[in-house]
Amino acid sequence: MPLNSRTAEQETPPAQASEETIPNGAAAAAILSAGAGACALGILSVVADGSKTIGQWLGFYRPSGPLSGVTTVAVLIWLAVWFVLSKVWRSKSVNLAKTNALAYFLLACGLLLTFPPFADLLLRK
Amino acid sequence: MQISVRAFVSAIHGLLFGGFFLLTAFGVLVELSRSINAAQPSELTGRGRSLATFYLCVTAILGWAAVFAGTYIVYPWYRAIPPAGAALTGFPQSLLLASSTTSGWHRLGMEWKEHLAWFAPMLITAVAYVMIKQRSAIAKHPQVRRAVLTFALVAFASAGIAAFFGAMINKHAPVKGGSEIHFLKEP
């Protein structure tokens, strides 16, 4: 890194910094990855409920059944997405309208898929 | 005064971890709403920042403690399959499913709660991270503030729904059993 390179926050004092000069990538990564984790949890819960084979495979801790695997894998997906996005977006500014919309959509999918009547409808139970 | 080990652990899961998570998450919501609607952004002192960081970390830890205790300690007791001919009172899932008037507490309540509850710590951890580490972004980007408030609201609502069903399920088919703990022995 050249000696004269400075981050956006160093160039402008916080009180005077405008919306454009403060990178939002790290915050967007945290928000979007949480949405992805919620969606992963929803998808996995439906898949584990619909397939006996996958349900058994997700029984990481036998006394808790598939719930242990569903939640463990969802948390790992959330952390992995967060790690990758925060690496890529760390000092960048991203389009928050788009990332937020995607995060809300993923969160809504996760909420819907974990709601038993909707999951039963999908699985034709 | 006595309580069974399973009932005691269940109370720690629901009342201590879950209950205090709801309290602290509500505090996060109030602070976010206040900062969004403040006429002028307020600057915290160093001590204020440390306290805010501590508060947010405790909130996230309570959320994770609640779901881990629920999934790995209480839930196995809840879903244990009774041996043939055994009384169902020590087997909450089977007890609820044995009657059409209570089966909904399992089929809707527990099946929703067991997954939905995990949203709360994931979302509140993301909220806490942004509030602790991305203060500049949260102060300067209204969209970040709105997203963080939305996620905190969903975390609170998820925990609230899980807590409601947990309390109602425990009312109809309490988790109990194991050895007894005596708090105050009468003379």
Side-chain angles (χ1 to χ4, degrees):
Chain A
M1 180 186 284
L3 285 172
N4 62 351
S5 79
R6 303 165 83 187
T7 64
E9 278 183 275
Q10 285 170 322
E11 284 170 3
T12 316
Q16 297 163 15
S18 69
E19 194 175 312
E20 290 76 30
T21 57
I22 304 289
N24 59 25
I31 291 161
L32 185 55
S33 61
C39 188
L41 183 58
I43 292 169
L44 285 162
S45 69
V46 172
V47 169
D49 196 22
S51 162
K52 201 169 182 179
T53 311
I54 297 174
Q56 281 176 342
W57 182 79
L58 287 168
F60 293 176
Y61 178 60
R62 193 177 286 259
S64 296
L67 180 64
S68 56
V70 166
T71 53
T72 302
V73 174
V75 167
L76 290 175
I77 289 172
W78 162 54
L79 292 175
V81 172
W82 193 356
F83 178 78
V84 171
L85 288 181
S86 63
K87 283 270 177 201
V88 176
W89 289 350
R90 186 188 294 167
S91 54
K92 289 181 182 170
S93 274
V94 298
N95 184 332
L96 278 173
K98 282 184 182 171
T99 56
N100 280 359
L102 183 58
Y104 295 151
F105 173 74
L106 291 170
L107 181 59
C109 286
L111 287 168
L112 203 57
L113 289 168
T114 52
F115 187 55
F118 184 77
D120 289 347
L121 199 69
L122 281 181
L123 298 169
R124 299 176 199 279
K125 276 191 173 179
Chain B
M1 203 166 74
Q2 65 184 51
I3 186 171
S4 71
V5 167
R6 290 184 182 187
F8 183 66
V9 173
S10 184
I12 288 174
H13 153 69
L15 294 176
L16 183 69
F17 297 149
F20 276 90
F21 174 81
L22 281 172
L23 287 173
T24 54
F26 187 73
V28 173
L29 278 177
V30 170
E31 169 56 20
L32 281 168
S33 304
R34 189 203 60 78
S35 66
I36 282 175
N37 293 302
Q40 281 194 331
S42 58
E43 191 66 31
L44 286 173
T45 61
R47 183 171 162 72
R49 276 197 292 272
S50 301
L51 285 170
T53 300
F54 175 75
Y55 182 88
L56 289 162
C57 289
V58 166
T59 304
I61 289 167
L62 283 168
W64 287 111
V67 294
F68 274 105
T71 301
Y72 291 99
I73 303 174
V74 180
Y75 187 59
W77 293 333
Y78 169 84
R79 73 191 291 270
I81 295 166
L88 296 181
T89 49
F91 303 91
Q93 180 179 308
S94 301
L95 182 62
L96 290 174
L97 290 173
S99 166
S100 60
T101 58
T102 55
S103 61
W105 290 116
H106 172 76
R107 294 196 197 286
L108 176 66
M110 179 53 86
E111 288 192 2
W112 193 16
K113 162 191 160 64
E114 69 189 31
H115 295 114
L116 185 71
W118 280 81
F119 281 38
M122 269 200 289
L123 300 181
I124 213 73
T125 301
V127 167
Y129 169 80
V130 176
M131 289 179 77
I132 294 168
K133 292 283 188 187
Q134 300 297 318
R135 280 197 195 91
S136 307
I138 214 169
K140 295 292 171 190
H141 297 280
Q143 285 171 316
V144 172
R145 283 200 296 276
R146 277 197 294 274
V148 165
L149 179 62
T150 304
F151 275 42
L153 198 60
V154 175
F156 178 75
S158 304
I161 291 168
F164 167 75
F165 280 116
M168 297 310 289
I169 288 166
N170 205 45
K171 198 173 170 64
H172 286 88
V175 171
K176 55 188 177 184
S179 54
E180 296 290 327
I181 302 169
H182 297 266
F183 289 107
L184 289 170
K185 283 190 178 171
E186 290 186 16

